[in-house]
Amino acid sequence: FNPLTEAHVGLADAAERAGLGPSLFVLSTRTVDKEHLEGALLADRLLVLELHARRRQTRAVGLINRGLYVDQAALLRAHLPKVEELTFLVGFDKILQIFDARYYAERDAALRRLFGLASFAVAPRAGAGRAELDGLLERPENRAFASQVRSLEVDPDLAAVSSSAIRAALAAGRPLP
């Protein structure tokens, strides 16, 4: 959410249309692979999310200090005990990261814990859609977790929207993509 984009909002809209329930925009003070943050300050990002959430009864904002989704899921489960199903909404680029062994001391143990706590709804990202997600889940090392990952259809125009590209355009004084 650096910055909050039409793609973030579109992902929440698609999840609500798919019957996944209300959306909690989780802002983490620690983001994997983005330890040196650029762009808006955390307080400003939090304010933008809060202003968005106030306009929709089905939206809320949470602030956490965990980077890995397995740790986020454990924290959210502990503090939201009435939530029956916890589904993270992510783009294809993020699900690749979640399955990447380099982020875990013991990948399979961490993923068993993660997928015991939560599931994932995955939106296409620039050139990677349902077929690529199916291919990722068909890999032998990922098959055990495939039932906890589903594709989420969003407006195709949103697949190329990127916070990074927006930050780069702003920094260079170019028009927004």
Side-chain angles (χ1 to χ4, degrees):
F1 310 115
N2 186 15
L4 177 67
T5 68
E6 292 176 345
H8 294 122
V9 173
L11 188 56
D13 290 343
E16 290 171 11
R17 282 192 305 274
L20 295 178
S23 295
L24 175 66
F25 287 80
V26 177
L27 181 59
S28 179
T29 61
R30 300 176 64 200
T31 304
V32 173
D33 286 343
K34 295 181 182 176
E35 287 78 13
H36 304 287
L37 232 54
E38 299 172 352
L41 298 173
L42 182 67
D44 294 327
R45 294 165 51 214
L46 187 60
L47 177 61
V48 168
L49 287 171
E50 187 176 326
L51 291 172
H52 169 75
R54 284 183 185 176
R55 294 192 308 257
R56 301 283 292 271
Q57 288 188 350
T58 58
R59 309 270 164 94
V61 178
L63 181 66
I64 60 174
N65 64 352
R66 303 291 190 276
L68 292 176
Y69 278 85
V70 63
D71 299 328
Q72 291 179 15
L75 186 66
L76 290 169
R77 282 287 186 195
H79 292 299
L80 301 171
K82 293 183 181 180
V83 171
E84 292 179 28
E85 290 186 41
L86 178 62
T87 303
F88 286 103
L89 309 176
V90 299
F92 184 79
D93 55 330
K94 188 56 71 172
I95 201 71
L96 285 173
Q97 187 182 63
I98 289 163
F99 281 111
D100 192 329
R102 69 184 161 140
Y103 296 104
Y104 311 101
E106 295 184 32
R107 175 197 182 263
D108 287 352
L111 291 180
R112 279 192 301 276
R113 182 168 183 236
L114 171 59
F115 289 110
L117 295 167
S119 63
F120 284 80
V122 182
R125 288 284 297 193
R130 182 181 296 258
E132 289 76 12
L133 179 61
D134 289 345
L136 177 69
L137 297 174
E138 289 170 3
R139 292 182 189 168
E141 68 273 21
N142 299 334
R143 281 188 196 133
F145 312 109
S147 66
Q148 291 298 100
V149 180
R150 65 182 275 185
S151 179
L152 184 63
E153 298 304 318
V154 297
D155 180 340
D157 293 336
L158 299 178
V161 175
S162 160
S163 293
S164 299
I166 291 171
R167 285 193 310 274
L170 288 171
R174 294 189 317 263
L176 296 180

Coordinates of all heavy atoms in Angstrom, one line a residue, residues 79-146:
H79 N -5.5 -12.5 17.5 CA -6.3 -11.3 17.8 C -7.6 -11.2 17.2 O -8.4 -10.2 17.6 CB -5.4 -10.1 17.5 CG -4.2 -9.9 18.3 ND1 -4.2 -9.8 19.7 CD2 -2.9 -10.0 18.0 CE1 -3.0 -9.7 20.2 NE2 -2.2 -9.9 19.2
L80 N -8.0 -12.1 16.4 CA -9.3 -12.1 15.7 C -9.9 -13.5 15.8 O -10.2 -14.1 14.8 CB -9.2 -11.7 14.2 CG -8.6 -10.3 14.0 CD1 -8.3 -10.1 12.5 CD2 -9.5 -9.2 14.5
P81 N -10.1 -13.9 17.1 CA -10.6 -15.3 17.3 C -12.0 -15.6 16.7 O -12.2 -16.8 16.4 CB -10.6 -15.5 18.8 CG -10.7 -14.1 19.3 CD -10.0 -13.2 18.3
K82 N -12.8 -14.6 16.4 CA -14.1 -14.9 15.9 C -14.1 -15.0 14.3 O -15.1 -15.4 13.8 CB -15.1 -13.8 16.3 CG -15.3 -13.8 17.8 CD -16.3 -12.7 18.1 CE -16.6 -12.8 19.7 NZ -17.5 -11.8 20.1
V83 N -13.0 -14.7 13.7 CA -12.9 -14.9 12.3 C -12.8 -16.4 12.0 O -11.8 -17.0 12.4 CB -11.7 -14.1 11.7 CG1 -11.4 -14.5 10.2 CG2 -11.9 -12.6 11.9
E84 N -13.8 -16.9 11.2 CA -13.8 -18.3 10.9 C -12.8 -18.7 9.8 O -12.1 -19.7 10.0 CB -15.2 -18.7 10.5 CG -16.2 -18.7 11.6 CD -17.6 -19.1 11.2 OE1 -17.7 -19.9 10.2 OE2 -18.6 -18.6 11.8
E85 N -12.7 -17.9 8.8 CA -11.8 -18.2 7.7 C -11.0 -17.0 7.4 O -11.5 -15.9 7.2 CB -12.6 -18.6 6.4 CG -13.3 -19.9 6.5 CD -13.9 -20.3 5.2 OE1 -13.3 -20.1 4.1 OE2 -15.0 -20.8 5.2
L86 N -9.7 -17.2 7.4 CA -8.7 -16.1 7.1 C -8.1 -16.3 5.7 O -7.5 -17.4 5.5 CB -7.6 -16.1 8.2 CG -6.5 -15.0 8.0 CD1 -7.1 -13.6 8.1 CD2 -5.4 -15.3 9.1
T87 N -8.4 -15.4 4.8 CA -7.9 -15.5 3.5 C -7.1 -14.3 3.1 O -7.6 -13.2 3.2 CB -9.1 -15.7 2.5 OG1 -9.9 -16.8 2.8 CG2 -8.6 -15.8 1.0
F88 N -5.9 -14.5 2.8 CA -5.0 -13.4 2.3 C -5.3 -13.2 0.9 O -5.4 -14.1 0.1 CB -3.5 -13.7 2.5 CG -3.1 -13.6 4.0 CD1 -2.9 -14.8 4.7 CD2 -2.8 -12.4 4.6 CE1 -2.4 -14.7 6.0 CE2 -2.4 -12.3 5.9 CZ -2.2 -13.5 6.6
L89 N -5.4 -11.9 0.5 CA -5.6 -11.5 -0.9 C -4.2 -11.0 -1.4 O -3.7 -10.0 -0.9 CB -6.6 -10.4 -1.0 CG -8.0 -10.6 -0.3 CD1 -8.8 -9.4 -0.4 CD2 -8.7 -11.9 -0.9
V90 N -3.7 -11.7 -2.4 CA -2.4 -11.3 -2.9 C -2.4 -11.4 -4.4 O -3.2 -12.0 -5.1 CB -1.3 -12.3 -2.3 CG1 -1.2 -12.2 -0.8 CG2 -1.5 -13.7 -2.8
G91 N -1.3 -10.8 -5.0 CA -1.1 -10.9 -6.4 C -0.2 -12.1 -6.7 O 0.5 -12.6 -5.7
F92 N -0.1 -12.5 -7.9 CA 0.7 -13.7 -8.3 C 2.2 -13.5 -7.8 O 2.8 -14.5 -7.4 CB 0.6 -13.9 -9.8 CG 1.4 -15.2 -10.2 CD1 0.8 -16.4 -10.0 CD2 2.7 -15.1 -10.7 CE1 1.5 -17.6 -10.4 CE2 3.3 -16.3 -11.1 CZ 2.8 -17.5 -10.9
D93 N 2.7 -12.3 -7.9 CA 4.1 -12.1 -7.5 C 4.3 -12.5 -6.0 O 5.4 -13.0 -5.6 CB 4.6 -10.7 -7.8 CG 3.7 -9.6 -7.2 OD1 2.5 -9.9 -7.0 OD2 4.2 -8.5 -6.9
K94 N 3.3 -12.2 -5.2 CA 3.5 -12.5 -3.8 C 3.3 -14.0 -3.5 O 4.0 -14.5 -2.6 CB 2.4 -11.7 -3.0 CG 2.6 -11.8 -1.5 CD 3.9 -11.3 -1.0 CE 4.2 -9.9 -1.1 NZ 5.4 -9.4 -0.5
I95 N 2.5 -14.7 -4.2 CA 2.3 -16.2 -3.9 C 3.6 -16.9 -4.3 O 4.0 -17.9 -3.7 CB 1.1 -16.8 -4.6 CG1 0.7 -18.1 -3.9 CG2 1.2 -17.0 -6.1 CD1 0.1 -17.9 -2.5
L96 N 4.3 -16.4 -5.3 CA 5.6 -16.9 -5.7 C 6.6 -16.8 -4.5 O 7.3 -17.7 -4.2 CB 6.2 -16.2 -6.9 CG 5.7 -16.5 -8.3 CD1 6.3 -15.6 -9.3 CD2 5.9 -18.0 -8.6
Q97 N 6.6 -15.6 -3.9 CA 7.4 -15.4 -2.7 C 7.1 -16.3 -1.6 O 7.9 -16.8 -0.9 CB 7.3 -13.9 -2.3 CG 8.2 -13.5 -1.2 CD 8.0 -12.0 -0.9 OE1 6.9 -11.7 -0.4 NE2 9.0 -11.2 -1.1
I98 N 5.8 -16.5 -1.3 CA 5.3 -17.3 -0.2 C 5.8 -18.8 -0.4 O 6.2 -19.4 0.6 CB 3.8 -17.3 -0.1 CG1 3.4 -15.9 0.4 CG2 3.2 -18.4 0.8 CD1 1.9 -15.5 0.2
F99 N 5.9 -19.3 -1.6 CA 6.3 -20.7 -1.8 C 7.9 -20.8 -1.9 O 8.4 -21.9 -2.0 CB 5.7 -21.3 -3.1 CG 4.3 -21.7 -2.8 CD1 3.2 -21.1 -3.4 CD2 4.0 -22.9 -2.0 CE1 1.9 -21.5 -3.1 CE2 2.8 -23.3 -1.8 CZ 1.7 -22.6 -2.3
D100 N 8.6 -19.7 -1.9 CA 10.0 -19.7 -2.1 C 10.7 -20.1 -0.8 O 10.6 -19.5 0.2 CB 10.5 -18.3 -2.5 CG 11.9 -18.2 -3.0 OD1 12.7 -19.0 -2.5 OD2 12.2 -17.3 -3.8
A101 N 11.5 -21.2 -0.9 CA 12.2 -21.8 0.2 C 13.2 -20.8 0.9 O 13.5 -21.0 2.1 CB 12.9 -23.0 -0.2
R102 N 13.7 -19.8 0.2 CA 14.8 -19.0 0.8 C 14.3 -18.1 1.9 O 15.1 -17.6 2.7 CB 15.4 -18.1 -0.3 CG 14.6 -17.1 -0.8 CD 15.3 -16.3 -1.9 NE 14.3 -15.6 -2.8 CZ 14.5 -14.4 -3.2 NH1 15.7 -13.8 -3.0 NH2 13.6 -13.8 -3.9
Y103 N 13.0 -18.0 2.1 CA 12.4 -17.2 3.2 C 12.2 -18.0 4.5 O 11.8 -17.4 5.5 CB 11.1 -16.6 2.8 CG 11.3 -15.6 1.6 CD1 10.9 -16.0 0.3 CD2 11.9 -14.4 1.8 CE1 11.1 -15.1 -0.7 CE2 12.1 -13.5 0.8 CZ 11.7 -13.9 -0.5 OH 11.9 -13.0 -1.6
Y104 N 12.5 -19.3 4.5 CA 12.2 -20.1 5.6 C 13.4 -21.0 6.0 O 14.1 -21.5 5.2 CB 11.0 -21.1 5.3 CG 9.8 -20.4 4.7 CD1 9.6 -20.4 3.3 CD2 8.9 -19.7 5.5 CE1 8.5 -19.8 2.8 CE2 7.8 -19.0 4.9 CZ 7.6 -19.1 3.6 OH 6.5 -18.5 3.0
A105 N 13.5 -21.2 7.3 CA 14.5 -22.2 7.8 C 14.1 -23.6 7.5 O 14.8 -24.4 7.1 CB 14.7 -22.0 9.3
E106 N 12.8 -23.8 7.6 CA 12.1 -25.1 7.3 C 10.9 -24.8 6.5 O 9.8 -24.7 7.1 CB 11.8 -25.9 8.5 CG 13.1 -26.3 9.3 CD 12.8 -27.2 10.5 OE1 11.8 -28.0 10.4 OE2 13.5 -27.1 11.5
R107 N 11.0 -24.7 5.2 CA 9.9 -24.3 4.3 C 8.6 -25.1 4.5 O 7.6 -24.5 4.8 CB 10.3 -24.4 2.9 CG 9.2 -24.1 1.9 CD 9.6 -24.7 0.5 NE 8.5 -24.3 -0.5 CZ 7.6 -25.2 -0.9 NH1 7.5 -26.4 -0.3 NH2 6.7 -24.8 -1.8
D108 N 8.7 -26.4 4.4 CA 7.5 -27.2 4.5 C 6.8 -27.1 5.9 O 5.5 -27.0 5.9 CB 7.7 -28.7 4.2 CG 8.0 -28.9 2.7 OD1 7.8 -27.9 1.9 OD2 8.4 -30.0 2.3
A109 N 7.5 -27.0 6.9 CA 6.9 -26.9 8.3 C 6.3 -25.5 8.4 O 5.1 -25.4 8.9 CB 8.0 -27.0 9.4
A110 N 6.9 -24.4 7.9 CA 6.3 -23.1 7.9 C 5.1 -23.0 7.0 O 4.1 -22.5 7.4 CB 7.4 -22.1 7.4
L111 N 5.1 -23.7 5.9 CA 3.9 -23.6 5.0 C 2.8 -24.5 5.6 O 1.6 -24.1 5.4 CB 4.3 -24.1 3.6 CG 5.2 -23.1 2.8 CD1 5.5 -23.7 1.4 CD2 4.6 -21.7 2.7
R112 N 3.1 -25.6 6.2 CA 2.0 -26.4 6.9 C 1.3 -25.5 7.9 O 0.1 -25.5 8.1 CB 2.6 -27.7 7.5 CG 2.7 -28.8 6.5 CD 3.0 -30.1 7.1 NE 4.2 -30.1 8.0 CZ 5.4 -30.3 7.5 NH1 5.7 -30.5 6.3 NH2 6.4 -30.3 8.4
R113 N 2.1 -24.8 8.7 CA 1.6 -23.9 9.7 C 0.8 -22.8 9.1 O -0.4 -22.5 9.5 CB 2.7 -23.3 10.6 CG 2.2 -22.5 11.7 CD 3.3 -22.1 12.7 NE 2.7 -21.4 13.8 CZ 3.2 -20.2 14.2 NH1 4.2 -19.6 13.6 NH2 2.6 -19.5 15.1
L114 N 1.3 -22.1 8.1 CA 0.6 -21.1 7.4 C -0.7 -21.5 6.8 O -1.7 -20.9 7.1 CB 1.5 -20.5 6.3 CG 0.8 -19.5 5.3 CD1 0.3 -18.3 6.1 CD2 1.8 -19.1 4.2
F115 N -0.7 -22.6 6.1 CA -1.9 -23.1 5.4 C -2.9 -23.8 6.4 O -4.0 -24.0 6.0 CB -1.6 -23.9 4.2 CG -1.0 -23.1 3.1 CD1 0.3 -23.2 2.7 CD2 -1.8 -22.2 2.4 CE1 0.8 -22.5 1.7 CE2 -1.3 -21.4 1.3 CZ 0.0 -21.6 1.0
G116 N -2.4 -24.0 7.6 CA -3.3 -24.5 8.6 C -4.1 -23.3 9.3 O -5.1 -23.5 9.9
L117 N -3.5 -22.1 9.1 CA -4.1 -20.9 9.7 C -4.9 -20.1 8.7 O -5.8 -19.3 9.0 CB -3.0 -20.0 10.3 CG -2.3 -20.5 11.4 CD1 -1.0 -19.7 11.7 CD2 -3.1 -20.6 12.7
A118 N -4.5 -20.2 7.4 CA -5.1 -19.3 6.4 C -5.1 -19.9 5.0 O -4.4 -20.9 4.8 CB -4.3 -18.0 6.4
S119 N -5.9 -19.3 4.1 CA -5.8 -19.6 2.7 C -5.4 -18.4 1.9 O -5.3 -17.3 2.5 CB -7.2 -20.2 2.3 OG -8.2 -19.2 2.4
F120 N -5.3 -18.5 0.6 CA -4.9 -17.4 -0.2 C -5.8 -17.3 -1.5 O -6.2 -18.4 -2.1 CB -3.5 -17.6 -0.7 CG -2.5 -17.2 0.4 CD1 -2.2 -18.2 1.4 CD2 -1.9 -16.0 0.4 CE1 -1.3 -17.9 2.4 CE2 -1.0 -15.7 1.4 CZ -0.7 -16.6 2.4
A121 N -6.2 -16.1 -1.8 CA -6.9 -15.8 -3.1 C -5.9 -15.0 -3.9 O -5.4 -14.0 -3.4 CB -8.2 -15.1 -2.8
V122 N -5.6 -15.5 -5.1 CA -4.5 -14.9 -5.9 C -5.0 -14.2 -7.1 O -5.7 -14.9 -7.9 CB -3.5 -16.0 -6.2 CG1 -2.3 -15.4 -7.0 CG2 -3.0 -16.7 -5.0
A123 N -4.6 -13.0 -7.3 CA -5.0 -12.2 -8.5 C -3.9 -12.2 -9.5 O -2.7 -12.3 -9.1 CB -5.3 -10.8 -8.1
P124 N -4.2 -12.2 -10.8 CA -3.2 -12.2 -11.8 C -2.3 -10.9 -11.7 O -2.8 -9.9 -11.2 CB -4.0 -12.1 -13.1 CG -5.4 -12.4 -12.8 CD -5.6 -12.1 -11.3
R125 N -1.1 -11.0 -12.1 CA -0.2 -9.9 -12.2 C 0.5 -9.9 -13.5 O 1.0 -11.0 -13.9 CB 0.9 -10.0 -11.0 CG 0.4 -9.7 -9.6 CD 0.2 -8.3 -9.4 NE 1.4 -7.6 -9.5 CZ 1.6 -6.3 -9.1 NH1 0.7 -5.7 -8.6 NH2 2.8 -5.8 -9.2
A126 N 0.6 -8.8 -14.2 CA 1.3 -8.7 -15.4 C 1.8 -9.9 -16.1 O 3.0 -10.3 -15.8 CB 2.5 -7.7 -15.2
G127 N 1.0 -10.6 -16.8 CA 1.4 -11.8 -17.6 C 1.3 -13.1 -16.8 O 1.7 -14.1 -17.4
A128 N 1.0 -13.1 -15.6 CA 0.8 -14.3 -14.8 C -0.6 -14.4 -14.3 O -1.0 -13.7 -13.4 CB 1.9 -14.3 -13.7
G129 N -1.3 -15.4 -14.8 CA -2.7 -15.6 -14.4 C -3.0 -17.0 -13.9 O -2.1 -17.6 -13.3
R130 N -4.2 -17.4 -14.2 CA -4.7 -18.7 -13.6 C -3.8 -19.9 -14.1 O -3.4 -20.8 -13.3 CB -6.1 -19.0 -14.1 CG -6.7 -20.3 -13.6 CD -8.1 -20.5 -14.1 NE -9.0 -19.5 -13.6 CZ -9.8 -19.7 -12.6 NH1 -9.9 -20.8 -12.0 NH2 -10.6 -18.7 -12.2
A131 N -3.3 -19.9 -15.4 CA -2.5 -21.0 -15.9 C -1.2 -21.1 -15.1 O -0.7 -22.1 -14.7 CB -2.3 -20.9 -17.3
E132 N -0.6 -19.9 -14.9 CA 0.7 -19.9 -14.1 C 0.5 -20.3 -12.7 O 1.3 -21.0 -12.1 CB 1.3 -18.5 -14.2 CG 1.8 -18.1 -15.6 CD 0.8 -17.8 -16.6 OE1 -0.4 -17.6 -16.2 OE2 1.1 -17.7 -17.8
L133 N -0.6 -19.9 -12.1 CA -0.9 -20.3 -10.7 C -1.1 -21.8 -10.7 O -0.6 -22.5 -9.8 CB -2.2 -19.6 -10.2 CG -2.6 -20.0 -8.7 CD1 -1.5 -19.6 -7.7 CD2 -3.9 -19.2 -8.4
D134 N -1.9 -22.4 -11.6 CA -2.0 -23.8 -11.7 C -0.7 -24.5 -11.8 O -0.5 -25.5 -11.1 CB -3.0 -24.2 -12.8 CG -4.4 -23.8 -12.6 OD1 -4.8 -23.5 -11.4 OD2 -5.2 -23.8 -13.6
G135 N 0.2 -24.0 -12.6 CA 1.5 -24.6 -12.8 C 2.3 -24.6 -11.5 O 3.0 -25.5 -11.2
L136 N 2.2 -23.5 -10.8 CA 2.9 -23.3 -9.5 C 2.4 -24.4 -8.5 O 3.2 -25.0 -7.8 CB 2.8 -21.9 -9.0 CG 3.4 -21.7 -7.6 CD1 4.9 -21.7 -7.7 CD2 2.9 -20.3 -7.0
L137 N 1.1 -24.5 -8.5 CA 0.5 -25.4 -7.5 C 0.7 -26.9 -7.9 O 0.6 -27.8 -7.0 CB -1.0 -25.1 -7.3 CG -1.3 -23.7 -6.8 CD1 -2.7 -23.4 -6.8 CD2 -0.7 -23.5 -5.4
E138 N 1.0 -27.2 -9.1 CA 1.2 -28.6 -9.6 C 2.6 -29.1 -9.3 O 2.8 -30.3 -9.4 CB 0.8 -28.7 -11.1 CG -0.6 -28.6 -11.4 CD -0.9 -28.4 -12.9 OE1 0.0 -28.5 -13.7 OE2 -2.1 -28.3 -13.2
R139 N 3.5 -28.2 -9.0 CA 4.8 -28.6 -8.6 C 4.8 -29.5 -7.4 O 4.0 -29.3 -6.5 CB 5.7 -27.4 -8.3 CG 6.0 -26.5 -9.5 CD 6.9 -25.4 -9.0 NE 7.1 -24.4 -10.1 CZ 7.6 -23.2 -9.9 NH1 8.1 -22.9 -8.7 NH2 7.7 -22.4 -10.9
P140 N 5.6 -30.6 -7.4 CA 5.5 -31.6 -6.4 C 5.6 -31.0 -5.0 O 4.9 -31.4 -4.0 CB 6.7 -32.5 -6.7 CG 6.9 -32.4 -8.1 CD 6.5 -31.0 -8.5
E141 N 6.5 -30.0 -4.8 CA 6.7 -29.4 -3.5 C 5.6 -28.5 -3.0 O 5.5 -28.2 -1.8 CB 8.1 -28.6 -3.5 CG 8.1 -27.4 -4.3 CD 8.4 -27.6 -5.8 OE1 8.4 -28.7 -6.3 OE2 8.9 -26.6 -6.4
N142 N 4.7 -28.2 -3.9 CA 3.6 -27.3 -3.6 C 2.2 -28.0 -3.6 O 1.2 -27.4 -3.1 CB 3.5 -26.1 -4.6 CG 4.8 -25.3 -4.5 OD1 5.5 -25.2 -3.5 ND2 5.1 -24.6 -5.6
R143 N 2.1 -29.2 -4.1 CA 0.8 -29.9 -4.2 C 0.1 -30.0 -2.9 O -1.2 -29.9 -2.9 CB 1.0 -31.3 -4.8 CG 1.2 -31.2 -6.3 CD 1.2 -32.6 -6.9 NE 1.8 -32.6 -8.2 CZ 2.7 -33.4 -8.7 NH1 3.1 -34.4 -7.9 NH2 3.2 -33.3 -9.9
A144 N 0.8 -30.2 -1.8 CA 0.1 -30.4 -0.5 C -0.7 -29.2 -0.1 O -1.6 -29.3 0.7 CB 1.1 -30.8 0.5
F145 N -0.3 -28.0 -0.7 CA -1.0 -26.8 -0.2 C -1.9 -26.2 -1.2 O -2.6 -25.2 -1.0 CB 0.1 -25.7 0.1 CG 1.3 -26.3 0.9 CD1 2.5 -26.5 0.4 CD2 1.1 -26.6 2.2 CE1 3.5 -27.0 1.1 CE2 2.1 -27.1 3.0 CZ 3.3 -27.4 2.5
A146 N -2.1 -26.9 -2.4 CA -2.9 -26.4 -3.5 C -4.4 -26.1 -3.1 O -5.0 -25.2 -3.6 CB -2.8 -27.3 -4.7

